[in-house]
Amino acid sequence: MNERMLFRQTRWRLATWYAGVMGIILTLSGFGVYEAIDHAHRTAADRELQGIAGRLHDNIEPMLKQPGELPTSTQRFFPEFCMSPAPCITSTRAADHAPGEMFQGNYYIRLLDTSQELIALAGLKPIGLESSSSTTAWQYLQDEDNIRYRQITIPLQNPDAPLWGYLQVGSSLKHSDQYLSSVKLILFAGLPLALVFVGVAGWWLAGRAMRPIHQSYQQMQQFTADAAHELRTPIAAAQATVESVLDMPQLSAAEVRETLQTLDRQHQRLSQLIQDLLLLTRLDRQGQLKQNVSCCLQDLVSDIAEELAALALNKKIQLQTDVQVDQPLWVSGDEAQLYRLVFNLVINAIQYTPEAGKVTLALCQQDQQAVIQVQDTGVGIVPEYQAKIFDRFYRVDCDRNRQTGGSGLGLAIAQAIAQKHQGRITVQSQPSKGSSFTVHLPIPFP
Ligand code: ADP
């Protein structure tokens, strides 16, 4: 599978998973919201119904004497009351204690005798209401038009008399059911719409999340290709040298020596490259550095200047040090790695500075940081390449650098070491005037 397909497929998979998980979460949340609204409605309606039924019960019950007979005194509680089998009574007089809301169209009151025969009815008159049981306190009933009712049944019993009958108060759930149906509709219709948005957002987010992975994948591919290319060059050169020598019928001692020297050069280049690659891999893998190991930067600077003095002299370059601190400057970290960091910068400065040039290796302290500066009067670096020179195998001018023997890993190694020591490297350069590489390293105990 090619790279484009692989990343596209992974992005699809991530977006689908994201939409799926979000879909489940949204469905469960929608279900929860619906249940919460439904429960709140039911609880409020039941509480109201219970309040009305309780008040009616308390007012009517003391007046009831003969089971199944409704004293006329009870009728004052109801502005409208239908006696069964007598016709409905219509009164304009406001009831003393009857709750007014009962007759605003939402409630009905029924009085039943002990054999559950209807004696009186007030308020709503639902048609074809299912028969109800007088023994069940709370019930849901349905009328002919499929309108649901919530009903409470309370037995009526004067303490001095036997059971009189039952009081039933019911309320229509028409409005509440309509409201809940519209909530259900909104949730059902909104879910697919929300899933479309989640899908689009998932696709976009997956793309964003995969961008750095894609970049490092491409860098890895580039690194593998560059490493293979760099390794192949000395091997191919060595093979060509061997083949040309084998084709010669006879070899003089001088020719044998020259051939061996060429092979040795290729071998050294190859082993240097392998060492650099291994060091980079180690730096990539290495966790936090042991902070108890310390390194004195004055010693490091003077050792490097001493080691490279001969090379500088050979190139007729003036190599000088400028140490601006009196006290020994200690930093935590790996001494060999820090040595390699500064060594790479100084050797580059010597390599990219023409004859009669000058390279300065300076050391100073700025606040809580040790600052090492490698300054040269060399060829300089064009601004557009300055950010790239720290990339692995990157060389500004391949032909020129191949002659100097550089593989393009020197600055990548230097930067990796600086970062491992919680430091950083910056570069300032002007083409044809020179470059200045500055390393900042934290001082643990300033
Ligand atoms: P190389 O092994 O090729 O020197 P580096 O990683 O050390 O690789 O450097 C990367 C590139 O940065 C070099 O190829 C060179 O073009 C440029 N460079 C590094 N140091 C200097 C310098 N002091 N002056 C000019 N160019 C430099």
Side-chain angles (χ1 to χ4, degrees):
M1 194 187 300
N2 71 21
E3 178 196 325
R4 217 180 132 75
M5 280 267 287
L6 177 77
F7 277 90
R8 220 179 158 70
Q9 237 180 46
T10 315
R11 192 175 174 184
W12 262 115
R13 239 177 255 160
L14 276 175
T16 314
W17 271 103
Y18 183 73
V21 171
M22 284 302 286
I24 293 170
I25 293 171
L26 285 177
T27 310
L28 290 177
S29 312
F31 188 72
V33 167
Y34 179 80
E35 277 299 306
I37 295 174
D38 185 31
H39 182 258
H41 269 247
R42 268 189 282 137
T43 317
D46 283 2
R47 206 176 295 137
E48 205 172 321
L49 209 55
Q50 199 167 19
I52 293 170
R55 270 178 281 156
L56 277 173
H57 173 268
D58 294 348
N59 282 309
I60 297 173
E61 202 175 51
M63 300 172 193
L64 302 172
K65 301 278 181 254
Q66 205 56 35
E69 264 182 38
L70 191 65
T72 45
S73 57
T74 55
Q75 291 175 15
R76 70 192 173 89
F77 289 101
F78 310 100
E80 289 184 359
F81 207 37
C82 297
M83 299 295 286
S84 184
C88 291
I89 299 161
T90 307
S91 162
T92 48
R93 217 186 100 216
D96 293 346
H97 305 286
E101 67 265 37
M102 253 185 295
F103 302 101
Q104 284 167 10
N106 262 338
Y107 294 90
Y108 65 81
I109 301 160
R110 302 200 296 189
L111 294 174
L112 308 179
D113 63 14
T114 46
S115 52
Q116 299 181 31
E117 286 300 320
L118 184 68
I119 296 174
L121 170 70
L124 281 180
K125 293 171 188 69
I127 302 162
L129 197 68
E130 290 167 356
S131 63
S132 62
S133 153
S134 56
T135 46
T136 319
W138 287 99
Q139 279 176 298
Y140 282 105
L141 305 171
Q142 209 163 0
D143 73 2
E144 220 174 61
D145 301 325
N146 289 333
I147 296 172
R148 291 194 319 135
Y149 293 85
R150 181 70 165 153
Q151 179 183 282
I152 182 170
T153 304
I154 305 176
L156 291 166
Q157 186 166 26
N158 199 319
D160 319 323
L163 178 69
W164 184 90
Y166 300 95
L167 166 70
Q168 288 185 331
V169 182
S171 75
S172 160
L173 298 177
K174 188 178 170 188
H175 297 300
S176 158
D177 281 353
Q178 273 172 352
Y179 176 74
L180 286 171
S181 303
S182 56
V183 169
K184 213 185 281 182
L185 190 77
I186 290 168
L187 289 174
F188 269 110
L191 190 69
L193 205 71
L195 277 182
V196 171
F197 280 119
V198 166
V200 174
W203 175 254
W204 181 74
L205 282 174
R208 275 190 76 90
M210 284 176 62
R211 210 173 292 163
I213 302 169
H214 194 202
Q215 272 169 3
S216 59
Y217 181 84
Q218 281 177 330
Q219 274 171 4
M220 219 167 70
Q221 277 193 327
Q222 184 66 43
F223 178 76
T224 313
D226 288 343
H229 178 78
E230 289 299 327
L231 289 169
R232 201 185 55 188
T233 310
I235 292 173
Q239 194 180 357
T241 310
V242 172
E243 278 170 6
S244 66
V245 169
L246 285 176
D247 281 348
M248 292 167 83
Q250 271 189 337
L251 282 175
S252 65
E255 280 170 335
V256 170
R257 191 172 183 77
E258 196 184 324
T259 306
L260 287 175
Q261 276 172 346
T262 310
L263 286 176
D264 184 47
R265 269 200 309 277
Q266 306 299 354
H267 173 259
Q268 272 180 24
R269 190 165 167 195
L270 198 59
S271 56
Q272 182 61 49
L273 189 64
I274 290 168
Q275 271 176 32
D276 286 354
L277 284 172
L278 284 174
L279 176 62
L280 268 176
T281 315
R282 248 200 336 270
L283 286 168
D284 285 344
R285 282 202 189 156
Q286 207 173 35
Q288 201 65 13
L289 276 172
K290 282 187 217 133
Q291 293 295 318
N292 52 353
V293 187
S294 298
C295 163
C296 175
L297 293 179
Q298 276 101 331
D299 292 350
L300 188 138
V301 164
S302 61
D303 287 355
I304 289 174
E306 204 178 301
E307 187 176 339
L308 292 175
L311 182 71
L313 197 68
N314 220 15
K315 275 200 76 181
K316 299 189 177 58
I317 287 169
Q318 187 189 342
L319 174 62
Q320 62 179 42
T321 56
D322 176 16
V323 178
Q324 297 165 16
V325 276
D326 307 326
Q327 301 292 322
L329 204 52
W330 294 91
V331 289
S332 303
D334 186 319
E335 189 175 354
Q337 285 185 9
L338 289 171
Y339 189 92
R340 181 73 195 272
L341 188 174
V342 183
F343 185 89
N344 280 5
L345 297 181
V346 180
I347 203 150
N348 272 352
I350 296 172
Q351 266 171 0
Y352 300 114
T353 300
E355 275 187 16
K358 193 168 124 183
V359 172
T360 311
L361 175 55
L363 173 68
C364 67
Q365 182 177 350
Q366 277 175 11
D367 302 324
Q368 294 184 7
Q369 298 213 306
V371 180
I372 303 165
Q373 198 173 42
V374 181
Q375 214 166 357
D376 65 56
T377 56
V379 293
I381 307 157
V382 185
E384 61 186 285
Y385 297 135
Q386 285 176 18
K388 293 183 184 169
I389 53 173
F390 294 97
D391 291 351
R392 291 167 189 196
F393 293 112
Y394 187 83
R395 289 183 294 217
V396 175
D397 182 344
C398 285
D399 289 340
R400 187 190 74 191
N401 290 294
R402 226 177 267 289
Q403 281 163 20
T404 62
S407 61
L409 290 176
L411 287 179
I413 290 172
Q415 195 181 46
I417 295 172
Q419 284 170 353
K420 269 276 153 309
H421 289 76
Q422 277 97 49
R424 64 195 161 91
I425 306 181
T426 52
V427 59
Q428 281 180 319
S429 184
Q430 268 188 302
S432 313
K433 289 212 167 145
S435 312
S436 170
F437 286 82
T438 312
V439 183
H440 291 259
L441 292 170
I443 303 170
F445 312 107

